[in-house]
Each structure stands twice: as structure tokens, then as C-alpha cells.
């Protein structure tokens, strides 16, 4: 039986919260997040705020768990429930990249080897092109020395945002990864395929040399996906993943 979102959203805020909830369930089903990991979106009418669940395992998140934050990680409502320690990842990226509408952080397993070795994670298959030409690695040691490796302050978030720079994704050494998107659906797509690419690259590198996508191929594929008509690209993937996660797939909200 399908669960979760049943009614059509009536405004942009309801629609974006629906997408955040659904993305959390999709990413849990696809093995990108487990007890940890989080999905946010920029507030649709106040770009200086973002929306993120209270501290909770993604598969358990419902509409009522979503909290509104200032970009510095302070909750808009002072009595809000306890938030994720790493919410500064999200605020710092929205602060640094005005075009970013969604941020997803996870500890998905296949990407971790690429965060602790000199082997760069690079697109190897067409469906994974949106991870970008370059996937930088942020190392907490470089600016902060010995830490828990978690991004637990705005200073750490801003340092990470500098390393992610204009890329679509970045790894955190010995910790996990973060992707950005121009929508929750695009970020969800990239988060799933970052993990897929890492798994395939781990297999392919056993038989070198590996032929990666060229920069021109990456640009062509990203351009096609960005121009995708309804029922293609991100929307087709979203509908498929909604079904697998047992969530009602809602059409894109057009206000
Ligand atoms: Zn983390």
C-alpha cells in the first residue's frame, strides 16, 4: 500500500515539504541513507531560509518533522525540536550558491573509499553524469585538525562550501558525501547515482585502464537531463523511486 503524501499540494511550501519527505524515504529505500543522512530544500518564498527535518532517521520522517532554519543554522522557531548537528552543511551551501535549491548529505558506503585514497571519483556511466566533471574531497584535517569529522559549525560548513565550489558533489574524507541540485528531485537523482557510480568505478578499476566520460559527454548529458520533458529524466526516476519506496508520486507543483 502506498503511504505518505496523499493529497495534492496547494502551495509551493507544501509541495517542497512533500518532496523533502518523499526524498528521505526514497534515499532510505535505495540504500543511500540509513539511520543517518539528510535532505534539505531552500524555502520557496524566502531564499534566506531552508527546510530540513528534525534529527531523525530519514525513513521515519513525516511532514510535521520539517523545521525552517536561517542560513546560519538557527531555527526560525526558537522552541523547534532538536535538529541535525550537521545542518551547517546545508546553510553554508545555500549561502555560497544562490542557485542551489536542494542539498543532500549521506554516508553512502561505496563513495567512502574515494574519500580516503588518491583515486578520484569520476563519472563512468551516462546516468551518473550529473555528479559532475570533478568531485573534490574535503578533509577536516586541513583547516580544523583532529575533529569528529562531522561538520558541526558554520565555519566548517563554509570551509566545505569552498571546496565543493561550483561542483555538483563533493566527498568528506572518512565521512561521506554531499550533492546539490536545482530541485529536490534533481539532488535526489544525483545522490542515488553518486553511489551507483562509486560502486561501478570500484569494479571497473580492477581492470585498468578505465575509460571515463569526457567533459563534453558530461555536459551533453547534463544538458539533456536539464531540458527533459515531463515523464523523462528526473521525473521518470522520481516516479519509479516513489513506487519502490511505497510513496505516492505527486506531480511537480506549478504555482
Ligand atoms: Zn555526515
Amino acid at each position: 500500500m502506498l503511504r505518505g503524501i496523499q493529497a495534492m499540494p496547494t502551495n509551493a511550501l507544501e509541495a517542497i515539504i512533500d518532496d523533502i519527505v518523499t526524498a528521505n524515504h526514497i534515499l532510505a529505500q535505495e540504500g543511500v541513507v540509513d539511520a543517518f543522512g539528510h535532505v534539505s530544500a531552500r524555502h520557496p518564498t524566502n531564499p534566506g531560509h531552508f527546510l530540513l527535518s528534525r534529527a531523525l532517521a530519514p525513513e521515519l520522517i513525516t511532514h510535521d518533522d520539517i523545521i525552517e532554519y536561517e542560513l546560519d543554522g538557527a531555527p526560525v522557531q526558537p522552541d523547534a525540536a532538536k535538529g541535525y548537528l550537521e545542518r551547517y552543511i546545508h546553510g553554508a551551501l545555500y549561502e555560497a550558491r544562490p542557485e542551489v535549491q536542494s542539498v543532500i548529505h549521506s554516508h553512502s558506503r561505496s563513495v567512502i573509499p574515494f574519500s580516503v585514497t588518491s583515486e578520484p571519483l569520476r563519472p563512468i556511466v551516462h546516468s551518473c553524469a550529473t555528479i559532475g566533471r570533478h568531485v573534490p574531497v574535503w578533509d577536516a584535517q586541513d583547516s580544523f585538525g583532529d575533529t569528529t569529522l562531522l561538520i558541526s559549525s558554520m565555519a566548517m560548513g563554509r570551509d566545505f562550501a569552498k571546496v565543493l565550489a561550483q561542483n555538483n558533489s563533493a566527498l568528506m574524507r572518512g565521512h561521506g558525501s554531499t550533492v546539490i541540485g536545482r530541485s529536490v528531485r534533481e539532488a535526489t537523482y544525483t545522490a542515488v547515482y553518486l553511489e551507483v557510480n562509486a560502486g561501478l568505478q570500484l569494479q571497473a578499476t580492477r581492470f585498468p585502464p578505465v575509460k571515463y566520460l569526457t567533459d563534453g559527454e558530461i555536459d551533453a548529458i547534463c544538458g539533456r537531463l536539464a531540458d527533459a520533458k515531463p515523464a523523462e529524466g528526473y521525473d521518470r526516476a522520481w516516479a519509479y523511486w516513489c513506487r519502490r519506496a511505497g510513496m505516492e508520486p505527486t506531480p511537480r507543483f506549478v504555482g
Side-chain angles (χ1 to χ4, degrees), residues 86 105 107 150 175:
E86 292 196 284
H105 170 64
H107 307 153
L150 305 180
H175 171 192

Side-chain angles (χ1 to χ4, degrees), residues 185-197:
R185 297 173 188 216
E186 180 182 306
T188 301
Y189 180 98
T190 300
V192 170
Y193 280 112
L194 185 75
E195 170 66 13
V196 168
N197 195 91

Side-chain angles (χ1 to χ4, degrees), residues 202-249:
L202 287 169
Q203 293 181 47
T205 48
R206 294 164 59 203
F207 309 104
V210 175
K211 190 159 187 177
Y212 295 92
L213 298 192
T214 67
D215 287 350
E217 288 169 341
I218 292 168
D219 292 347
I221 295 162
C222 291
R224 180 185 176 277
L225 277 169
D227 293 332
K229 299 175 182 66
E232 291 188 16
Y234 304 129
D235 283 350
R236 189 194 300 185
W238 181 262
Y240 167 67
W241 288 324
C242 281
R243 177 56 57 100
R244 280 169 55 84
M247 302 295 283
E248 184 76 34

Side-chain angles (χ1 to χ4, degrees), residues 2-3 10 28 95 100 121 123-125 138 148 185 203 214 251:
L2 297 178
R3 59 198 156 96
T10 55
E95 179 184 80
V100 167
L121 182 54
I124 200 171
V125 62
W138 177 79
T148 61
R185 297 173 188 216
Q203 293 181 47
T214 67

Side-chain angles (χ1 to χ4, degrees), residues 145-184:
D146 290 335
T147 67
T148 61
L149 302 184
L150 305 180
I151 293 189
S152 55
S153 69
M154 203 57 191
M156 295 179 85
R158 287 177 175 139
D159 195 61
F160 173 69
K162 267 191 222 163
V163 169
L164 187 138
Q166 294 303 307
N167 298 290
N168 289 348
S169 54
L171 311 186
M172 290 99 147
R173 194 268 299 170
H175 171 192
S177 60
T178 297
V179 306
I180 57 92
R182 286 161 295 175
S183 67
V184 173

